[in-house]
Amino acid sequence: MKESDAFARDGRPVCGVCPSLRHPGGKFDVVERPSRDCPFDPATGHRFTAAGIPVCVHPERVGLPAAPYASEGLRLPWETPPPSEADEVPAWLRQVLTAAPADACDEVIQQATQILLAADLDADVTAVLRAALG
């Protein structure tokens, strides 16, 4: 994804004022709900932290778990290293693929496949993917 690409360019059901419509993932924070920590600015129609970082208040709509991505320079879910244990792959896959833009999904699935097959050459990768996403 290019730095200039808006995160919600893929049709996510976000609000019309969501920072994900203007900023790439990682350039805005996501919080569980509106609060005094990210007040609404009537002049711009957006929410910001005290440091001026844009904030999304609907993690379920934007598809990212609540976290201070821009404030603390956190990795986005699909940028986190995959687990080393095969039994941890389904939970990691669910979290990562829920948030990942389409252009990152192939790499995530390849990583999961490698981990699963390294643990068991007879692993049913498709079944693990279905369980993780079902």
Side-chain angles (χ1 to χ4, degrees), residues 26-77:
K27 298 299 181 185
F28 59 93
D29 288 351
V30 180
V31 297
E32 288 292 330
R33 65 182 77 64
S35 75
R36 292 182 180 156
D37 293 335
C38 56
F40 178 76
D41 178 11
T44 64
H46 304 288
R47 292 184 178 278
F48 296 95
T49 65
I53 294 173
V55 177
C56 170
V57 296
H58 297 111
E60 71 286 351
R61 290 186 186 176
V62 78
L64 289 170
Y69 299 104
S71 294
E72 296 183 11
L74 298 180
R75 290 180 177 180
L76 293 162

Side-chain angles (χ1 to χ4, degrees), residues 87-125:
D87 63 340
E88 297 172 358
V89 169
W92 174 77
L93 266 174
R94 179 182 300 271
Q95 180 180 7
V96 171
L97 290 177
T98 298
D103 57 353
C105 291
D106 284 346
E107 183 179 340
V108 169
I109 291 171
Q110 288 174 6
Q111 290 174 327
T113 300
Q114 290 170 356
I115 294 165
L116 293 168
L117 293 177
D120 177 5
L121 285 176
D122 295 326
D124 185 346
V125 175

